[in-house]
Structure formats: structure tokens, C-alpha cells
Amino acid sequence: MTAGTPLPSWRPGATRDALLGFLDAARSVPRADRVAYFDNDGTLWCERPAYVQLEFFLSALRRRVADDPSIGERDEFAALLSGDQDRVCELGLARIALALAGLFEGFTPEAFTAEVRTFMATATHAALGRPMSATVYQPMLELIGELRRQDFTVGIVTGGGTEFVRAVSEDLYGVPSELVVGTLIAYDFGRDGSGRPELRRTGRVLGGANEGPVKVANIQTQLGRRPILAAGNSGGDREMLEWAVATDRPALALLVDHDDAEREFAYAGKAATLTEAEPIKETAARAGWTVVSMAGDWETVFPR
Amino acid sequence: MTAGTPLPSWRPGATRDALLGFLDAARSVPRADRVAYFDNDGTLWCERPAYVQLEFFLSALRRRVADDPSIGERDEFAALLSGDQDRVCELGLARIALALAGLFEGFTPEAFTAEVRTFMATATHAALGRPMSATVYQPMLELIGELRRQDFTVGIVTGGGTEFVRAVSEDLYGVPSELVVGTLIAYDFGRDGSGRPELRRTGRVLGGANEGPVKVANIQTQLGRRPILAAGNSGGDREMLEWAVATDRPALALLVDHDDAEREFAYAGKAATLTEAEPIKETAARAGWTVVSMAGDWETVFPR
């Protein structure tokens, strides 16, 4: 990046002006309140055609099934492995995610992290033809960099598994594990053969999926500081973005719009729940959020 | 502090040597793993004759009762206000703490934080004759400073209320709120009269008191990084200290021994639970932890 040219991957225009205007205005905010939280899937990196975390679990599942084919007979796994989308939808992603998380029941945190890192070091994104770790969005990395230069604390608030994202957040985004809030698996405390304390993953989810209003409550309980910038791309980010701008201080709600079929994927942000009526882009328009058009606002999408 | 004289409030001797030896050895540990967690009450600041948090709640209770005497008739409050220690013990500190936390049900996080800060700005410690905010231990502040100079991440893992400690942790210790893990109150997500999102404190405790093995599990879920230094002073810190040193890396378990009746208070660390048999000092001796004698190892106890 050239000195004097902040956000080089953002094209000149209203969106870039809004970011620079916010960065400028934030200088008046006390440092302790300069807090920015980003959703991860679809906001900081590509989530199509499948969540990276789902690819990770699928790869683990395939290895388990190769060792013991009977594992693949479980309903949730059979649906996934056969690619039967109707059956997958019928079972529901929440139930399938729980079954997949169960593959790592009994693992220590260190062993789980090592598996994620091995996956990320080798997996590729077939459709984009690049390493999975290089499906992060270059313009968002630059925004994070600018925020840090202004002494912002930058965190990730994701619907994905907390430990999955923590395993890669420092490398990909420079975000330490304590600033990652996601969907949590509970641990059991126990002792190893030598009587030394150890933690083992359970199959239980703590406090439900980190989506919608749960994101706001989890930010308060786990991080304790309210953001003045929140970025997301789906209905699951609605309340977090609303909360960030419900202040008299300079604040920014940023919604990434996936409208770039050529360089990434074009799709509407998913609703947070089945009963969620208003599409997130309509909320954004009504509330005056800053909408990022990937096609229009980004000169570059992925790192070179 | 003079350059070249680290830890000036620590007297020369085996304890100071152990700290300096650990700080030196930690240079070989990758930065991401340089993590130190401190218990708060009795480890970073004075917890006698009563927890600071209890003094805060009592002061709030007295104000409420002045407005509405009927509030003081509740069993838990009557016992506290009358100073009837037998009755307090009979009811149990957990039940009383829950009743006190209930005084702030319906508060926003911001309103609660403001009350804590007002209290801390004005309260004094009668027995020590100094501001409550100056009952922190100067030698521990110096240790935290040395750890930071070596790029350690420093957090607080307390049995106290998370939000209470967060309200003062940046000012007292330079620890940001996301690095404070304590006993958590749940929040309800709702909307104010203008439809803006807001959080309100409930009377529910999330996941139980942050003591003993719960500290270890909460470190994993909320912070995600294992410490190589853990400091505590009671049975509630046992598992955290054991966990910190269950590694092949340089690691240090530090137990503060309150043996200084003259400058602070002399008492044995409380057991974590009623069934907890082994006094924490015996665990420390058996495990080879570094025991800090306040009377012997500290040249200065409180900031001047």
C-alpha cells in the first residue's frame, strides 16, 4: 500500500467516502470506545458455494468414513455425503452442524486447532481456483488495517464455530482468539492419566447459535464493549448492525452485498430465521446503512 | 521505576528470582502463547475484610433501602444490613450474591458500569485508610508491566462479577474488557421506545460461578488461549494454576500468601468448595508452585 492512498482496493465513490468519513470522525471517539466487529462468512471471506467450516467438517467426515464406513450411515452424514440437497434441507443445517461437531467430541482444544490448521494449509477453493486461505476479501483486510492504525480494537462476531475461527483468525486477520465470538461448544474439565487438568470437547452447544440478537448479547457477555462499526452480510447480522449505530457517536453499519457473479458469487443475504420477513438489504436502505457493492465498490476482491 | 531495576517492589530472594527466571525463559515462547491470567480478589487487590464488589453492592443496597425501607426486609438483605454473620453464613454467599445482583436487574450495561465507576471514584477502604482504587498490589502491577514489556497478553480470571471488574480493569490494570472473565449475568435483548436495540441485565447467572474447574473451561470458551503464567490466592484458583503449568514450556504458577497482618491481612486462602480437602498452600508445596509471601517478598504492598 502506498503511503497517502488508504483503502487502495476500494474504488472512489460514495462507499469509500463513507469509510474515510467514518475513520476521520472516529478520531473524536475515546480510544476505549473505538471498537469494530466483523461477521466472518460472506463478510471477511467467501461463504459460497459452501461455508469453509462445512468443507472442513466434510473433509474430516470423509476421512472417518474411509476408516469406518458405518459412520457414513448416520442420517445427517448420508445426506451430506450423497449430496442430496433436499434431504439436507429436510434435516436442517443446525442438526447437521451438531452431528458434524460431534465428530470432534473428546478432542482437546489443541488437537482440534491442529486439524483446522492442517486443513487450511492445504485446502483449495475449487470454483475460485485459489487456496481456501486466500478467499479472504482484500478490501476488508485493508479496512481492518486502517482501523488498527487508528487504534481500533477489531473483533470477529461469527455464526460459525468459535474454535474453528480462532484457529485461523490470527493468521488471516491478525485477530487474537479472545476477540473471536462465535457459536460455542462446551468443554468438560477432567484429568489425564498423570492427573494433569485437561479439557475435552463435548457435543453440546453453549447458549445457541451466535446469530441475530444472540450476537448482541454475546458481544456484551464475552467482549464487554459495544462497537461503533459493525459489518455483516446477512439477516444474522441485523441486530448487531442496528446496535452499533444506535448511538449519538460517529458509527457505521456496513452491509456487504454479494452482487458480483463474475469475480465471486451473486446472491441475497440469507434471512436469520424462517420467520424473518424483511430482507436485510431493505433494512439497510431504510436505516441508511452503508451498502458495499462487491461489483461496484471493490477494485480487487481477493489478495493477489 | 528505574531502568535496569525490574520489579522494584519485590525484595531480592527466591520468589523474585523465580519471576525473573520465568520472564527470561518466556522469551523462547512464541508471542501468541505468551499469555498470563490473574485472579483478582486477593491476588491483584485486597479482598479483606470484604470483597470490594460486596462493598459496592452494600452501598447500592443502602441507597435503595433509604428510598424504600421495605427492600431491606428481604431475608438476604436483612442479614447483610444487620451484620448478622451467622445468618449470612446460613443463607450462603451464593444466594446473597444473587439477591444483590438482582438490585441491578433491568439496568443497561452502560448504567451498571457508571454506578461501579462512581463507587470506585469515591469509596475508601476504612481499615487500610486509603481509596478503594488504591488497594491494588503494587508488586503485581509491576509484574504485569514486565509481562507486557515482553509482549504478554494479560487477562483477569475472577470469581467476581465480570461486568463489575470490567468497569475498572482498564483503569486499574490496563486490561481491556474482552480480557476479563468472571461470573456472568445474562442479558435480555430488547428494543427501546424508538425501536432501537438494547440489552438489559437479568437476574440469571450464566454457567455458574467462575471458580475452580469452571475457570479453566471459561478461559477456553471466552479467551481461547491457555496461560503459561497463572496467579491466584485461593482454592478457587487451583485448577487454573495446575492447568497453566501442565506443559513442557516455561510456565509459572504463582500463589499469593496473605501472611502480612501488619501491612494487609493474614489469612489462609479459602477452599473452593465445601468438599475441597487440601489447603491450597499444600497443593502449592506438593506441586512446586511459586508462593509469594506478602510479608517477606514485597518491599511495598500498595501504591504510594
Side-chain angles (χ1 to χ4, degrees):
Chain A
M1 193 181 128
T2 325
T5 315
L7 309 178
S9 300
W10 294 76
R11 292 190 180 126
T15 304
R16 186 165 177 277
D17 288 348
L19 297 181
L20 294 175
F22 169 75
L23 285 161
D24 193 46
R27 291 177 204 275
S28 70
V29 176
R31 277 182 168 67
D33 297 327
R34 294 187 202 167
V35 174
Y37 299 139
F38 292 79
D39 169 59
N40 188 37
D41 296 309
T43 300
L44 291 180
W45 71 359
C46 184
E47 64 178 353
R48 291 288 170 109
Y51 294 120
V52 179
Q53 185 177 356
L54 185 59
E55 298 284 5
F56 163 71
F57 277 129
L58 261 174
S59 125
L61 176 60
R62 287 197 192 98
R63 272 179 287 120
R64 302 289 180 91
V65 170
D67 284 348
D68 175 1
S70 73
I71 291 173
E73 291 163 17
R74 184 171 166 169
D75 272 3
E76 296 89 340
F77 297 157
L80 266 182
L81 293 168
S82 69
D84 181 345
Q85 290 307 314
D86 288 346
R87 183 69 182 135
V88 165
C89 291
E90 202 176 296
L91 290 167
L93 195 59
R95 177 171 158 184
I96 288 174
L98 202 63
L100 287 168
L103 290 173
F104 293 95
E105 200 174 325
F107 273 53
T108 63
E110 292 83 0
F112 178 77
T113 297
E115 285 226 16
V116 175
R117 288 182 178 165
T118 299
F119 169 81
M120 285 300 297
T122 53
T124 56
H125 190 294
L128 295 172
R130 51 173 52 235
M132 202 67 93
S133 59
T135 67
V136 294
Y137 303 135
Q138 177 64 23
M140 297 305 261
L141 298 182
E142 292 170 9
L143 176 57
I144 288 174
E146 280 301 312
L147 290 165
R148 289 222 181 88
R149 266 185 284 282
Q150 291 201 22
D151 296 319
F152 268 77
T153 296
V154 176
I156 296 176
V157 180
T158 174
T162 307
E163 305 288 38
F164 178 81
V165 177
R166 281 176 175 165
V168 299
S169 64
E170 179 76 49
D171 275 1
L172 295 183
Y173 313 116
V175 172
S177 62
E178 61 269 18
L179 281 162
V180 175
V181 174
T183 300
L184 270 176
I185 293 289
Y187 287 89
D188 279 339
F189 177 91
R191 292 185 181 273
D192 68 13
S194 319
R196 308 204 305 182
E198 62 171 18
L199 293 174
R200 297 276 177 183
R201 285 171 68 93
T202 70
R204 303 189 309 277
V205 171
L206 272 178
N210 190 44
E211 293 282 2
V214 178
K215 280 197 173 183
V216 175
N218 283 349
I219 287 170
Q220 185 61 43
T221 53
Q222 292 184 49
L223 301 176
R225 284 195 281 172
R226 191 169 171 162
I228 57 168
L229 183 156
N233 76 307
S234 80
D237 303 312
R238 187 186 321 267
E239 287 79 4
M240 176 171 74
L241 270 63
E242 288 182 303
W243 192 51
V245 294
T247 169
D248 299 326
R249 290 194 159 152
L252 193 72
L254 211 59
L255 186 78
V256 176
D257 184 14
H258 293 268
D259 59 357
D260 194 333
E262 201 171 316
R263 297 183 298 177
E264 205 232 14
F265 298 92
Y267 60 97
K270 69 178 185 306
T273 65
L274 294 176
T275 56
E276 187 63 71
E278 188 177 60
I280 190 70
K281 280 178 70 173
E282 288 177 26
T283 308
R286 193 169 41 74
W289 295 348
T290 299
V291 177
V292 178
S293 159
M294 291 181 68
D297 291 324
W298 289 359
E299 180 66 32
T300 307
V301 175
F302 300 111
R304 291 171 202 283
Chain B
M1 193 180 129
T2 324
T5 315
L7 308 179
S9 299
W10 295 76
R11 290 188 182 128
T15 303
R16 187 164 177 276
D17 288 348
L19 296 181
L20 295 175
F22 169 75
L23 284 162
D24 193 48
R27 291 177 204 274
S28 69
V29 175
R31 276 180 169 67
D33 297 326
R34 295 188 202 167
V35 174
Y37 299 138
F38 293 79
D39 169 59
N40 189 37
D41 294 310
T43 300
L44 291 181
W45 72 359
C46 183
E47 63 178 353
R48 291 288 170 109
Y51 294 119
V52 179
Q53 184 178 356
L54 185 60
E55 298 284 5
F56 163 71
F57 278 129
L58 261 174
S59 125
L61 176 61
R62 286 196 193 98
R63 271 180 288 121
R64 302 289 181 91
V65 170
D67 284 348
D68 175 1
S70 73
I71 291 175
E73 290 163 17
R74 183 172 168 170
D75 272 3
E76 296 90 339
F77 298 157
L80 266 182
L81 293 168
S82 68
D84 180 345
Q85 290 307 315
D86 288 346
R87 184 68 183 136
V88 166
C89 292
E90 203 176 295
L91 292 167
L93 196 59
R95 178 172 158 183
I96 289 173
L98 202 61
L100 288 168
L103 290 173
F104 293 94
E105 201 173 324
F107 273 52
T108 64
E110 292 83 1
F112 178 78
T113 296
E115 285 227 15
V116 175
R117 288 182 179 162
T118 299
F119 170 81
M120 285 301 297
T122 53
T124 56
H125 190 293
L128 295 171
R130 50 172 53 233
M132 203 68 94
S133 59
T135 68
V136 295
Y137 303 135
Q138 176 64 22
M140 297 306 260
L141 298 181
E142 292 169 8
L143 176 57
I144 288 174
E146 280 302 311
L147 290 165
R148 289 222 181 90
R149 268 185 281 281
Q150 291 200 22
D151 295 319
F152 268 78
T153 296
V154 176
I156 297 176
V157 180
T158 174
T162 307
E163 305 288 36
F164 178 81
V165 176
R166 281 176 176 165
V168 299
S169 63
E170 179 76 50
D171 275 1
L172 295 183
Y173 314 117
V175 172
S177 62
E178 62 268 17
L179 281 162
V180 175
V181 174
T183 300
L184 270 176
I185 293 289
Y187 287 89
D188 279 340
F189 177 91
R191 293 186 181 272
D192 68 14
S194 321
R196 308 203 306 184
E198 61 171 19
L199 293 175
R200 297 274 177 185
R201 285 171 68 93
T202 71
R204 305 189 308 277
V205 171
L206 272 177
N210 192 42
E211 292 283 2
V214 178
K215 281 197 172 183
V216 175
N218 283 349
I219 288 171
Q220 185 61 43
T221 53
Q222 292 184 50
L223 301 176
R225 285 197 278 173
R226 192 168 171 161
I228 57 169
L229 182 155
N233 77 306
S234 80
D237 303 312
R238 187 187 321 267
E239 287 78 4
M240 176 170 75
L241 270 63
E242 290 183 302
W243 193 49
V245 295
T247 170
D248 298 327
R249 291 193 159 153
L252 193 72
L254 211 58
L255 186 79
V256 175
D257 185 14
H258 293 266
D259 59 356
D260 193 333
E262 199 171 318
R263 297 183 298 176
E264 205 231 15
F265 299 92
Y267 59 97
K270 69 179 187 303
T273 66
L274 295 176
T275 56
E276 187 63 71
E278 187 178 60
I280 191 68
K281 280 179 70 173
E282 287 177 26
T283 308
R286 193 170 39 76
W289 295 348
T290 298
V291 177
V292 178
S293 159
M294 290 181 68
D297 291 321
W298 289 357
E299 181 65 31
T300 308
V301 174
F302 299 112
R304 289 172 205 284

